[in-house]
C-alpha cells in the first residue's frame, strides 16, 4: 500500500532558501518527503549555497551529494559540475533521502544514512 502524505502549507519566502522553494516542494512531494526536512538537510549540508563543495569528501551542492568523482560506489551519480545545478542537486537529495526512508520506514534512520551513517559509529551510542 503506498504511503499517503499530505504536505503542509509551505512558505520559504523569508528564508535563505526562498529561491529554491519551488524545487524543494516539487521534489519533496515526488518522494513523499516533508519539504521542511529537505530544507533542513540543505541548510546543514551547505547553508543554502548551491556551489558548496567539500574538497575532502567531494560532497557537492545544496544537499552535499557525493558525486560520480567520489568513487566507484557513486558511479551512477551526476558529476560535480552537474550537482552544482540546484535542480539536479535537490532532485538527488530527495531521491536518496526518499530511498532510505522507504528502506527503513523511518525518517530518523533515513537522515542517519543520508549523513553517512554507514561510516559513523553505531547510532545506538547516541540514544
Amino acid at each position: 500500500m503506498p504511503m499517503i502524505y499530505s504536505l503542509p502549507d509551505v512558505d520559504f519566502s523569508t528564508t535563505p532558501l526562498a529561491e529554491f522553494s519551488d524545487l524543494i516542494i516539487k521534489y519533496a512531494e515526488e518522494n513523499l518527503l516533508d519539504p521542511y526536512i529537505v530544507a533542513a538537510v540543505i541548510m546543514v549540508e551547505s547553508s543554502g549555497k548551491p556551489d558548496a563543495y567539500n574538497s575532502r569528501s567531494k560532497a557537492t551542492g545544496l544537499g552535499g551529494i557525493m558525486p560520480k568523482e567520489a568513487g566507484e560506489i557513486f558511479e551512477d551519480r551526476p558529476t560535480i559540475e552537474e550537482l552544482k545545478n540546484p535542480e539536479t542537486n535537490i532532485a538527488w537529495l530527495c531521491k536518496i533521502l526518499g530511498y532510505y526512508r522507504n528502506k527503513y520506514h523511518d525518517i530518523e534512520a533515513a537522515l542517519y544514512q543520508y549523513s553517512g551513517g554507514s561510516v559513523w559509529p553505531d547510532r545506538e551510542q547516541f540514544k
Side-chain angles (χ1 to χ4, degrees):
M1 181 172 195
M3 291 180 58
I4 297 172
Y5 183 77
S6 176
L7 287 175
D9 289 334
V10 178
D11 180 10
F12 292 116
S13 63
T14 60
T15 74
L17 301 179
E19 67 183 290
F20 309 117
S21 171
D22 291 342
L23 295 173
I24 292 168
I25 294 167
K26 174 185 175 181
Y27 289 105
E29 186 175 72
E30 282 181 14
N31 291 276
L32 303 174
L33 296 167
D34 183 327
Y36 289 112
I37 291 175
V38 173
V41 169
I42 290 171
M43 291 306 294
V44 167
E45 293 290 339
S46 69
S47 300
K49 298 177 182 128
D51 61 345
Y53 179 72
N54 181 318
S55 59
R56 197 178 94 219
S57 71
K58 295 188 169 82
T60 303
L62 291 166
I65 307 296
M66 298 301 288
K68 179 179 291 220
E69 295 90 339
E72 279 183 34
I73 192 170
F74 304 110
E75 66 187 23
D76 67 329
R77 303 272 179 96
T79 65
I80 290 168
E81 279 309 307
E82 291 168 328
L83 286 169
K84 289 182 181 177
N85 174 295
E87 183 161 9
T88 301
N89 200 283
I90 293 169
W92 273 87
L93 182 168
C94 292
K95 178 180 178 177
I96 295 165
L97 190 59
Y99 167 80
Y100 285 131
R101 195 268 334 279
N102 290 339
K103 181 176 180 176
Y104 297 106
H105 306 287
D106 178 62
I107 194 63
E108 183 182 330
L111 290 164
Y112 171 76
Q113 289 298 316
Y114 183 91
S115 69
S118 62
V119 298
W120 293 101
D122 184 352
R123 78 188 264 226
E124 292 301 313
Q125 112 181 28
F126 300 105
K127 293 216 177 204

